[in-house]
Amino acid sequence: MKYVDEFRDRVSVETLATAIRGITTREWTIMEVCGGQTHSIMRFGIDELIPRGITLVHGPGCPVCVTPVEAIDRAIRMASMKDVVLCSFGDMLRVPGSSKDLLGVKAEGGDVRVVYSPMDALKMAVDDPGKKVVFFAVGFETTAPGNAMAVYQAKKNGVDNFYMLVSHVLVPPAMRLILSDSNNRVQGFLAAGHVCAVMGYDEYEGIAKDHWVPIVVTGFEPVDIMKGIYMCVKQLEEGRFDVENQYSRVVKREGNPEAKRIMKEVFDLSDRKWRGIGNIPLSGLVLNGRYEGYDAEKVFGLDAVTAEEDQGCMSGKVLRGIIRPDECGKFGGACTPEHPLGAPMVSSEGACAAYYNYKDREKNEG
Amino acid sequence: MKDNSISDGYRTCPVPVSSYKKVLLGHGSGGKLTNDLISSVFMRIFDSPELDTRHDGAVMSLGGEKIAMTTDSYVVTPLFFPGGDIGSLAVHGTVNDLAMCGARARFMTAGFIIEEGLDMEVLEKVAASMKRSCDEAGVRIVAGDTKVVEKGKGDGLFINTSGVGTLMSDEPLLPSGIKEGDAIVISGDVGRHGIAIMSAREGLALKTSLESDSALLSGMVEDLISEGVNVHCLRDLTRGGLASALIELSSVSGTGMRIDEAYIPVSEEVKGVCEILGLDPLQVANEGRFICFVPAGEAEKTIKILSRHNAGRNACRIGHVDGRTSGVYMRNLVGTIRKIDMLTGEQLPRIC
């Protein structure tokens, strides 16, 4: 992993900080789309290294944060059923539904298991035909191909006790929504590198052109993010709005054709509710007609489970970059990782948790 | 002009999950939830001055002699893992807890909670491993207990060990001994045990050659004391990792601590797995590492003594105790400083 150290090199970061200072003539607001980038920015204190006039705001790119409360409630309903094993990636277990979270259901006796891959859930179904194994499929374009492959393999091998509760969301429609909002203050984007590794970035070229915003496909290490900020500020200062690729060691313009193919085989586009934001047309993925026998929502009638979001916190504004987490009145007081009011305080990639864990630098006198 | 702002009805968030009515796995993680549980239930109800020291064991006087006492339970899965097994772990843990009080372990007890159906051969292998570790540590198991629970009500085997030891130093080593200006020395690289266990678990297809750091620390502590290092406090790093140990000691001793990420030893493999899973090596479990608080002028001598031992060969100074701050702050690799926090619940791998 020397590869990672190279992108955490202090001298490279300082050189880029100097370069950013050298080209910045006025104030700019840039959104990092991905929660992983927010986490890195806060963990490494990148916001302290860039000129004060450049404001970094968090985007809607934390998969845990944007999963709607009713999807959690549906997962909780499934996990509470007899002979059901509910599998998910770790982060999802802590996110509050209407009245509890999946860890709470597990403590009450529900069979909730953390898996590291949807294929592990599929194997569980094969190994234990007496159980109904449900994989809670959340996340962006990054996790969708793997989840699609699990359903594809289930059908190919005739596994009939495996189901998927799908709550996938897509990044570009959310970026367009943010830019169309009259309260928008985002002038440039650091696009999520992992999402673009799958999908490529040709779709982003339309967004940049339609909304006159520069978009830089950016990685997750400190050097990546500093370079992404430099490229974005340079475009802003020069009055350009192109899509540029900082993360070329991973991302190609066309993305990963094989991953896109399997997604197309299994999923259709659909409208999707985003937690804290609301419905965004054609911003989600659902299993298509060929795979509806694997759709937990349809098979178990879960669409009857609905939930209203509470008036507790301002996460919607945080996720759209309208306020920073520490501008919320409840931040760090009524809302902490131990007692979260909203998902962004729960997930390791959530903006509020990142600010809470790393923001306390008031005594950084050296 | 038409207002395109998103409806206020959608700017909200969910109902809070407040305090948990049931015990979660996270209550055993060694992080914040564990601390909450200990403070709000056990410390409050048991209410003893020895527990108030919040150390790895208690030091008491008995018949004019100062003794230390500790207990711990082991629930590790799998029972055998690269670099150790539940038996050696159960002995190391208790001997090490006594060493952290400045005591040499003398006698131990062992309680076994066995799940119906466990292979007898497995139990024998674990017992033999315990015996080997006891011999190495110079300690004897003098009492024990056996319970068998129904199939499905245990995880193969749980072991509880308690230990009694005699003080090697004139005074017990306690968190309250930490002083401003002390150097913080770590005995080796962090995170090996947690990552070795995760890699060995079914479902995580990570091929690593990592072995647990599980080891006896008593020899190192004995050398430090016998060679006259003015040790102010010791703490072994267990479930909550380096972060939890430092934060707890900072809080109990009322001191601030400064550490430097560049000096914290982490193996390339641990770093790699942590990157993949989104874990912080500072919060990953250890079973054979400890931190020493010694006067700054004695840091070099401390490192030299620790380095003579196999488990201490990567010993180094990672920071110091700072009177200006409260809490634990770390200068990270790119030069900025951040506050270190305890793990909130269990360590859960991120989604992407």
Side-chain angles (χ1 to χ4, degrees):
Chain A
M1 291 302 289
K2 294 236 181 311
Y3 199 53
V4 168
D5 293 343
E6 183 186 331
F7 295 98
R8 291 179 181 177
D9 176 59
R10 187 170 174 171
V11 175
S12 305
V13 167
E14 282 168 359
T15 306
L16 282 161
T18 307
I20 295 168
R21 279 194 292 276
I23 59 168
T24 306
T25 63
R26 50 164 288 195
E27 293 184 357
W28 299 109
T29 298
I30 297 170
M31 171 177 276
E32 80 277 359
V33 172
C34 175
Q37 291 167 333
T38 305
H39 184 83
S40 267
I41 287 166
M42 301 315 295
R43 177 179 170 192
F44 292 102
I46 285 170
D47 54 328
E48 286 184 7
L49 300 170
I50 58 177
R52 281 189 186 279
I54 297 174
T55 305
L56 296 176
V57 292
H58 173 70
C62 162
V64 169
C65 303
V66 300
T67 301
V69 66
E70 65 191 27
I72 314 273
D73 282 358
R74 287 170 186 178
I76 287 169
R77 170 75 67 88
M78 286 293 330
S80 310
M81 288 183 192
K82 195 171 177 291
D83 293 328
V84 165
V85 183
L86 193 283
C87 302
S88 186
F89 297 134
D91 276 6
M92 282 312 296
L93 268 53
R94 269 202 290 257
V95 190
S98 292
S99 60
K100 55 182 153 186
D101 59 25
L102 284 163
L103 282 176
V105 177
K106 185 170 154 66
E108 287 165 8
D111 197 344
V112 178
R113 301 186 198 173
V114 172
V115 290
Y116 301 94
S117 154
M119 300 305 280
D120 294 342
L122 180 58
K123 185 173 179 295
M124 250 178 239
V126 172
D127 292 347
D128 198 349
K131 299 271 188 191
K132 298 178 180 74
V133 177
V134 182
F135 181 72
F136 189 16
V138 296
F140 292 92
E141 294 91 327
T142 329
T143 51
N147 295 343
M149 182 55 85
V151 178
Y152 175 81
Q153 291 289 348
K155 187 174 184 192
K156 193 177 162 196
N157 297 309
V159 182
D160 59 4
N161 62 328
F162 177 73
Y163 308 91
M164 208 165 253
L165 181 57
V166 180
S167 190
H168 273 299
V169 282
L170 303 170
V171 169
M175 288 169 73
R176 283 191 184 273
L177 182 95
I178 287 163
L179 292 167
S180 305
D181 191 326
S182 59
N183 292 320
N184 171 55
R185 57 174 175 152
V186 176
Q187 295 163 296
F189 282 104
L190 307 183
H194 291 165
V195 168
C196 296
V198 173
M199 302 304 287
Y201 53 85
D202 49 355
E203 201 178 346
Y204 292 70
E205 285 162 357
I207 300 174
K209 196 173 152 209
D210 293 348
H211 295 277
W212 296 7
V213 286
I215 300 175
V216 180
V217 178
T218 305
F220 299 85
E221 295 300 327
V223 172
D224 289 324
I225 292 169
M226 291 297 283
K227 203 166 171 199
I229 294 168
Y230 173 80
M231 290 165 75
C232 198
V233 170
K234 192 155 193 298
Q235 284 202 53
L236 287 164
E237 291 283 348
E238 291 172 2
R240 291 187 292 122
F241 37 91
D242 298 324
V243 177
E244 294 179 328
N245 184 10
Q246 179 278 325
Y247 205 32
S248 58
R249 68 181 188 278
V250 174
V251 174
K252 294 184 177 62
R253 185 174 184 275
E254 70 278 12
N256 180 336
E258 187 57 25
K260 290 197 308 198
R261 192 195 62 73
I262 189 76
M263 282 168 69
K264 207 169 172 187
E265 159 68 24
V266 169
F267 293 125
D268 275 348
L269 284 178
S270 73
D271 294 352
R272 176 70 67 189
K273 199 189 263 186
W274 293 51
R275 189 173 204 155
I277 295 177
N279 187 59
I280 307 180
L282 298 178
S283 68
L285 297 172
V286 287
L287 290 171
N288 63 32
R290 292 193 295 280
Y291 294 89
E292 63 185 4
Y294 296 90
D295 189 335
E297 231 172 84
K298 287 187 178 150
V299 175
F300 297 98
L302 295 174
D303 42 2
V305 178
T306 57
E308 288 303 313
E309 292 182 5
D310 194 80
Q311 303 285 318
C313 83
M314 308 287 281
S315 68
K317 284 191 173 178
V318 171
L319 293 173
R320 283 177 287 137
I322 293 169
I323 61 166
R324 286 198 325 260
D326 53 358
E327 289 168 343
C328 168
K330 297 190 172 69
F331 176 82
C335 185
T336 64
E338 294 78 54
H339 300 290
L341 293 178
M345 190 57 102
V346 180
S347 160
S348 58
E349 293 185 9
C352 299
Y355 269 68
Y356 184 86
N357 287 331
Y358 300 134
K359 191 63 185 169
D360 188 355
R361 305 200 195 104
E362 59 188 2
K363 286 166 182 153
N364 284 356
E365 68 276 17
Chain B
M1 192 178 145
K2 187 172 176 281
D3 183 1
N4 282 329
S5 69
I6 297 160
S7 156
D8 270 1
Y10 287 123
R11 66 170 170 73
T12 54
C13 231
V15 172
V17 172
S18 54
S19 55
Y20 289 97
K21 289 204 171 73
K22 307 230 180 225
V23 174
L24 305 183
L25 269 178
H27 283 112
S29 66
K32 271 185 199 168
L33 283 179
T34 308
N35 267 278
D36 287 352
L37 187 74
I38 291 171
S39 306
S40 65
V41 180
F42 301 125
M43 302 270 294
R44 179 176 60 82
I45 295 172
F46 295 154
D47 185 30
S48 82
E50 287 81 11
L51 284 177
D52 278 346
T53 63
R54 301 207 65 146
H55 200 26
D56 288 334
V59 177
M60 299 148 294
S61 289
L62 203 64
E65 189 171 15
K66 283 198 176 117
I67 61 159
M69 192 174 169
T70 189
T71 187
D72 212 336
S73 300
Y74 300 84
V75 295
V76 64
T77 309
L79 299 176
F80 299 90
F81 48 84
D85 59 79
I86 191 170
S88 55
L89 200 63
V91 176
H92 292 171
T94 288
V95 171
N96 292 348
D97 280 349
L98 292 171
M100 295 304 113
C101 302
R104 183 185 295 119
R106 302 288 301 276
F107 304 107
M108 273 179 62
T109 67
F112 296 87
I113 298 169
I114 307 164
E115 187 184 8
E116 178 186 23
L118 182 76
D119 285 344
M120 203 60 84
E121 192 187 342
V122 167
L123 196 58
E124 281 187 17
K125 267 175 84 177
V126 169
S129 173
M130 288 181 81
K131 168 74 171 135
R132 274 194 303 277
S133 298
C134 283
D135 290 347
E136 196 186 335
V139 66
R140 243 182 21 245
I141 293 178
V142 293
D145 179 51
T146 306
K147 296 281 184 294
V148 178
V149 294
E150 281 175 55
K151 191 156 185 66
K153 293 195 171 171
D155 214 353
L157 176 66
F158 301 145
I159 301 178
N160 171 271
T161 48
S162 295
V164 175
T166 46
L167 227 55
M168 294 183 271
S169 54
D170 296 336
E171 290 299 320
L173 305 176
L174 294 171
S176 54
I178 294 172
K179 292 185 176 59
E180 188 180 335
D182 277 358
I184 306 172
V185 173
I186 194 162
S187 65
D189 60 332
V190 296
R192 278 180 188 265
H193 178 72
I195 298 298
I197 293 283
M198 274 192 212
S199 305
R201 275 190 189 150
E202 199 185 348
L204 186 55
L206 286 167
K207 299 275 179 281
T208 75
S209 57
L210 269 177
E211 292 200 337
S212 166
D213 51 34
S214 181
L216 288 169
L217 306 175
S218 44
M220 284 190 273
V221 174
E222 202 163 336
D223 285 358
L224 288 176
I225 292 170
S226 66
E227 293 182 38
V229 176
N230 183 15
V231 178
H232 289 162
C233 181
L234 302 170
R235 172 61 58 97
D236 63 340
L237 311 179
T238 51
R239 288 164 305 168
L242 175 62
S244 289
L246 287 171
I247 291 164
E248 198 180 322
L249 288 176
S250 162
S251 158
V252 175
S253 64
T255 59
M257 294 176 191
R258 291 298 191 103
I259 55 172
D260 199 317
E261 189 173 17
Y263 297 147
I264 298 171
V266 187
S267 76
E268 293 300 324
E269 277 187 297
V270 168
K271 257 192 231 173
V273 176
C274 283
E275 283 302 317
I276 291 166
L277 297 178
L279 308 177
D280 185 344
L282 266 53
Q283 294 177 332
V284 174
N286 308 265
E287 284 294 346
R289 300 287 181 251
F290 70 116
I291 42 176
C292 320
F293 292 80
V294 295
E298 297 189 38
E300 279 312 310
K301 185 178 176 185
T302 303
I303 292 166
K304 217 170 179 177
I305 292 171
L306 297 179
S307 304
R308 293 203 303 253
H309 295 256
N310 194 35
R313 65 181 185 275
N314 293 321
C316 64
R317 181 183 176 153
I318 58 167
H320 65 278
V321 177
D322 182 358
R324 294 172 300 170
T325 61
S326 62
V328 181
Y329 287 82
M330 179 173 81
R331 182 184 295 281
N332 66 43
L333 292 176
V334 301
T336 55
I337 295 169
R338 69 170 164 98
K339 193 171 187 182
I340 299 294
D341 208 6
M342 267 191 198
L343 190 62
T344 294
E346 263 194 291
Q347 277 207 320
L348 297 173
R350 69 176 168 214
I351 285 178
C352 68

